[in-house]
Amino acid sequence: MAIIETNTGEDSGAAPALPAAPEPTPQPSLADWQAAAAKEVKGKDLTWHTPEGIAVKPLYTAEDAPVDPGLPGFAPFTRGVRASMYAGRPWTIRQYAGFSTAEESNAFYRRNLAAGQKGLSVAFDLATHRGYDSDHPRVTGDVGKAGVAIDSVEDMKILFDGIPLDQMSVSMTMNGAVIPILAFFIVAGEEQGVDRRLLDGTIQNDILKEFMVRNTYIYPPEPSMRIISDIFGYTSREMPKFNSISISGYHMQEAGATQLHELAFTIADGMEYVKYGVASGLDIDKFAGRLSFFFAIGMNFFMEIAKLRAARVLWHRAMTQLGAKDERSKMLRTHCQTSGVSLTEQDPYNNVMRTTIEAMAAMLGGTQSLHTNALDEAIALPTDFSARIARNTQIVIQEETGMTKVVDPLGGSYYVESLTQSLVDGAWEIIERVQAEGGMAKAVAAGWPKAMIEEASAARAARVDRGEDVIVGVNKYRKADEDPIDILDVDNVAVREAQIRRIERVKATRDEAACRAALDALREGARGTENLLALAVDAARARATLGEISSAMEDVFGRFGTQPTPVKGIYGGAYTDDARWSRLEEGVAATERRLGRKPRMLVAKMGQDGHDRGANLVSSMFGDLGFEVVPGPLFQTPKEAAVLALESDVDVVGASSLAAGHKTLIPELIGHLRDAGRADIKVIAGGVIPAQDYQALRDAGVQAIFGPGTNLIKAAEDVLRLLGHNMPPQEEAAE
């Protein structure tokens, strides 16, 4: 055993003296950091200028975030609309889905609910959106392709068969045919034994956004706004659990808007709807608490988080200004969906990572519900395989990461708080312009919000084509060969035939006199002031079809249509002094000399798909290049597009496809041109076209196909070659 000697002197009980504390290390100043950073990057400016015009610095400090964001659950709700947020209850997993028939969609919903989905979000086909029954001759290529076909109450009952509507929250993305769809939903609930006061969910009902970007409208703006007011009135009286509108910025971002545009115009739309509701005699605090919002979540991670925080601040400010007293009326609640436009056809498994990042941004921004896109949605509706990955992305975040344990974990971040304030200030400036010019309805009619979005879209396309904005697997790190991927293919012909048979059964078994009387009452109500939704519910009970209900109102209101007006100079302006652009301009000039006029292109949008971002980009780019562009009106039939091509004496028809109608519509267009003796007109196809369909289109006579992610410079070279100009390959042009 070791013997430990101890000090037995007088101080033996005292602790040994500690060395003196060192002098505190001097803290570096901001100037010290700037000097160190500048040395590391050799003086390069690290400031990033976002598409919103915000200068993002490489470092943020407390001086950049002087505004106290407050606490979650308290005004102005910057940090969330609930005090406990996800620590108390996670967001609702609400996957957006619908395809083919009501039977197929119902089976898909049941599988998803069994696998952990908590709410339903219904996607309708384009024929339904535009108020046409499936037997209408204008929708032969659209039935069941981009959503579920709903023609009557019977379809709606099948859609929710076995799904108790008093227990399930249902969101329906519907704007144009909102009256018949909501009427069908109410009657389907009744016939399931569910009182409408127990129905829970949301109807999108956001028509101003349709006039700006998505274009699935039916009636002109003024009667469309009346429809919204009537829905507010009916639901506030009869459906206290139901959200009467989902004010959507999602489609603005998908159309090319910056996050600042999306934020400002969405809040301004909401203000307009509130003003119309009040003008119709409603108490603002009786209906405003049932309004909800819907935002896109793209790949600018922190900007998207800040956008949702800024949206809550702005809505609180706007509703206070509009006279709301109840804090619930000032509380912005939102659904979010990860971006569809950020998904790529090329190297599609990268989309799993993109969706995960976007889902995290939505969560950290404080969404109330979320849809995550599937990896194959750049080219088709999701398969069960891809839908499971998308859904499980949310479940893993909720169950495995611990992210939900802390309320607003990024609150107080210098960068996030600074971005939030920048977006609040920038968006409010745009909102004040809207209000000064008479509100959003007048701004939409004037066209400047749409023009701002299309300019931003063209600028973004040019940055991507130039490689300034990187998209992994598309314009950088591209695979030499793309792997094939299984996709969901809907048999449009079979679906349409089945829907027509059901429409015939409904009409054969209904009380025709009662149905006609209900439709006549609806028509008279449209001429007068009676509530249109209440009248449509009566018509739905009498088994009037969606097309009949829509047509009764169309008899009074008319059907609205617009002519695309592509922006000029934005895409081409990005290529000033670019050798590739100069060679293309030379090619266009040479083609003009040979033809004796400018080369002429019709950009055709056939079918009922109103998404026109791609068509407008093509029109803008080729117009800047020197083509004479004929922008075709939306919603043409193949025959109408062929007639316009012949009347305009075009050299090329560019058929833009998004909603899977290409296999039906484009071959029919080619047939009409051949029948007219103009097989010389080149038909090219672009948009969301799966590679599996390319050969069928080529066999039908399509001479070039440009899928998602196509570089427009490369597309222009190919078009000039089709017109007989010997363009050098892109690689040579880029040297």
Side-chain angles (χ1 to χ4, degrees):
M1 175 183 290
I3 298 174
I4 301 176
E5 295 185 2
T6 61
N7 182 352
T8 56
E10 294 180 354
D11 297 327
S12 60
L18 295 173
E23 291 293 323
T25 303
Q27 291 299 303
S29 67
L30 185 58
D32 293 330
W33 173 85
Q34 289 170 335
K39 183 178 179 181
E40 289 174 0
V41 298
K42 298 180 172 59
K44 178 184 176 183
D45 183 5
L46 297 178
T47 301
W48 171 42
H49 294 274
T50 74
E52 293 77 16
I54 297 172
V56 174
K57 303 184 297 182
L59 178 70
Y60 283 77
T61 67
E63 294 180 359
D64 297 302
V67 177
D68 183 355
L71 292 171
F74 293 89
F77 306 110
T78 313
R79 303 191 66 187
V81 295
R82 296 283 183 266
S84 61
M85 286 301 290
Y86 309 140
R89 187 179 75 179
W91 66 91
T92 300
I93 300 172
R94 187 190 298 281
Q95 291 300 91
Y96 180 55
F99 58 92
S100 183
T101 62
E103 290 92 342
E104 290 283 345
S105 295
N106 173 263
F108 187 76
Y109 292 161
R110 288 197 193 196
R111 291 195 297 272
N112 286 0
L113 291 171
Q117 185 174 313
K118 300 301 183 184
L120 296 179
S121 189
V122 183
F124 299 95
D125 75 355
L126 291 164
T128 303
H129 272 289
R130 294 270 292 147
Y132 294 115
D133 285 337
S134 296
D135 59 359
H136 197 284
R138 298 195 72 88
V139 299
T140 54
D142 296 300
V143 176
K145 293 296 283 188
V148 60
I150 299 291
D151 293 310
S152 70
V153 168
E154 298 306 320
D155 288 328
M156 191 70 81
K157 289 171 66 177
I158 294 167
L159 187 67
F160 295 114
D161 182 43
I163 299 172
L165 292 178
D166 56 345
Q167 300 174 33
M168 181 60 58
S169 172
V170 176
S171 174
M172 293 179 285
T173 302
M174 177 53 65
N175 304 282
V178 63
I179 288 286
I181 284 295
L182 190 49
F184 291 167
F185 179 68
I186 292 166
V187 175
E190 287 177 359
E191 298 188 6
Q192 202 184 81
V194 178
D195 187 277
R196 57 182 172 269
R197 300 189 68 81
L198 299 178
L199 294 173
D200 187 9
T202 304
I203 189 81
Q204 189 163 97
N205 193 27
D206 177 5
I207 204 65
L208 287 174
K209 166 263 301 177
E210 299 296 329
F211 290 122
M212 257 194 292
V213 291
R214 188 164 173 255
N215 300 311
T216 52
Y217 43 69
I218 300 175
Y219 314 109
E222 197 60 37
S224 296
M225 294 299 288
R226 176 200 164 173
I227 285 170
I228 288 171
S229 296
D230 281 3
I231 290 172
F232 284 175
Y234 185 96
T235 54
S236 64
R237 292 188 303 271
E238 306 287 339
M239 302 169 71
K241 295 178 67 177
F242 199 79
N243 297 314
S244 53
I245 194 168
S246 174
I247 304 151
S248 174
Y250 179 88
H251 303 95
M252 298 182 201
Q253 188 178 137
E254 293 292 277
T258 68
Q259 279 90 335
L260 181 62
H261 295 146
E262 178 192 5
L263 176 60
F265 294 139
T266 304
I267 297 297
D269 279 351
M271 295 174 71
E272 191 81 345
Y273 295 134
V274 169
K275 287 190 283 187
Y276 267 78
V278 171
S280 71
L282 296 173
D283 180 336
I284 189 171
D285 286 316
K286 288 290 191 292
F287 73 90
R290 302 309 305 175
L291 308 184
S292 66
F293 287 78
F294 174 28
F295 287 103
I297 303 294
M299 285 297 288
N300 190 344
F301 185 75
F302 289 105
M303 189 72 76
E304 294 292 5
I305 295 166
K307 181 185 74 185
L308 297 184
R309 304 171 94 252
R312 293 191 287 269
V313 174
L314 288 165
W315 188 240
H316 186 273
R317 182 186 298 179
M319 291 301 289
T320 302
Q321 191 178 91
L322 291 172
K325 300 289 189 272
D326 189 339
E327 285 299 293
R328 179 175 170 78
S329 300
K330 307 175 187 180
M331 185 185 294
L332 182 144
R333 293 160 299 112
T334 190
H335 171 71
C336 290
Q337 180 174 337
T338 61
S339 172
V341 81
S342 72
L343 303 178
T344 65
E345 176 189 35
Q346 298 83 0
D347 208 357
Y349 290 103
N350 288 338
N351 295 333
V352 177
M353 288 84 83
R354 292 187 178 102
T355 296
T356 302
I357 290 165
E358 291 167 349
M360 289 171 58
M363 183 275 295
L364 292 167
T367 191
Q368 275 62 66
S369 65
L370 179 62
H371 165 89
T372 34
N373 285 330
L375 66 94
D376 48 2
E377 287 189 69
I379 48 176
L381 291 170
T383 61
D384 279 3
F385 169 77
S386 65
R388 176 177 173 80
I389 294 172
R391 181 182 59 252
N392 284 355
T393 299
Q394 295 192 55
I395 296 174
V396 168
I397 292 173
Q398 286 187 357
E399 301 287 353
E400 294 189 21
T401 65
M403 290 183 184
T404 62
K405 305 301 183 185
V406 176
V407 180
D408 188 28
L410 290 182
S413 156
Y414 301 145
Y415 179 35
V416 170
E417 299 297 353
S418 177
L419 272 185
T420 300
Q421 192 59 43
S422 294
L423 287 172
V424 167
D425 293 342
W428 192 251
E429 185 177 330
I430 295 174
I431 291 167
E432 287 185 318
R433 177 185 171 186
V434 170
Q435 300 309 310
E437 296 185 15
M440 200 61 190
K442 289 186 177 178
V444 168
W448 63 265
K450 183 176 180 66
M452 287 179 71
I453 291 170
E454 290 190 1
E455 288 173 2
S457 176
R460 161 72 170 167
R463 291 196 304 273
V464 171
D465 286 351
R466 288 170 61 84
E468 295 164 0
D469 287 4
V470 172
I471 301 178
V472 173
V474 176
N475 64 0
K476 197 173 184 180
Y477 312 111
R478 182 82 181 252
K479 293 180 69 176
D481 297 298
E482 295 292 339
D483 298 324
I485 183 170
D486 291 333
I487 63 168
L488 179 67
D489 186 26
V490 173
D491 185 345
N492 161 249
V493 174
V495 172
R496 186 166 185 264
E497 289 174 350
Q499 289 300 118
I500 290 172
R501 288 194 295 271
R502 185 173 293 146
I503 291 170
E504 291 170 346
R505 286 198 300 273
V506 167
K507 290 183 177 181
T509 56
R510 71 191 182 186
D511 182 333
E512 192 64 27
C515 182
R516 289 296 140 203
L519 289 170
D520 288 341
L522 176 59
R523 196 175 289 107
E524 287 306 308
R527 291 191 180 99
T529 59
E530 289 186 72
N531 189 284
L532 294 171
L533 179 55
L535 293 168
V537 169
D538 292 338
R541 290 194 190 105
R543 282 344 191 232
T545 67
L546 176 132
E548 290 172 325
I549 293 172
S550 298
S551 181
M553 293 188 288
E554 186 181 340
D555 289 343
V556 180
F557 299 148
R559 184 171 278 268
F560 186 72
T562 57
Q563 181 70 31
T565 51
V567 298
K568 298 178 180 179
I570 303 298
Y571 189 98
Y575 277 87
T576 304
D577 300 326
D578 187 292
R580 294 170 298 172
W581 186 263
S582 297
R583 289 199 189 188
L584 284 172
E585 287 181 316
E586 291 169 4
V588 172
T591 303
E592 180 178 353
R593 289 191 296 272
R594 182 167 49 80
L595 295 174
R597 58 167 173 77
K598 290 178 179 292
R600 195 173 293 137
M601 172 188 285
L602 167 63
V603 178
K605 280 291 293 183
M606 297 179 292
Q608 298 305 307
D609 170 37
H611 294 86
D612 58 357
R613 176 181 184 170
N616 290 338
L617 281 174
V618 169
S619 295
S620 295
M621 185 273 187
F622 278 88
D624 286 352
L625 197 56
F627 274 68
E628 181 182 337
V629 175
V630 180
L634 299 176
F635 314 122
Q636 285 190 308
T637 64
K639 185 174 182 179
E640 289 167 343
V643 168
L644 182 57
L646 296 170
E647 290 175 347
S648 304
D649 191 24
V650 300
D651 307 295
V652 182
V653 177
S656 175
S657 175
L658 180 68
H662 51 271
K663 289 195 292 186
T664 305
L665 300 170
I666 298 176
E668 186 179 338
L669 166 69
I670 293 171
H672 287 305
L673 292 175
R674 284 176 177 163
D675 291 345
R678 291 300 310 272
D680 59 300
I681 294 177
K682 317 295 183 186
V683 176
I684 62 176
V688 180
I689 302 175
Q692 292 91 319
D693 294 346
Y694 281 17
Q695 192 57 51
L697 290 176
R698 290 183 181 119
D699 292 343
V702 174
Q703 300 204 20
I705 302 170
F706 305 107
T710 293
N711 185 301
L712 289 179
I713 297 294
K714 175 67 167 60
E717 291 174 346
D718 291 347
V719 170
L720 283 170
R721 288 192 193 98
L722 284 176
L723 294 179
H725 183 73
N726 186 24
M727 283 295 299
Q730 186 182 22
E731 291 75 19
E732 294 178 24
E735 288 177 356

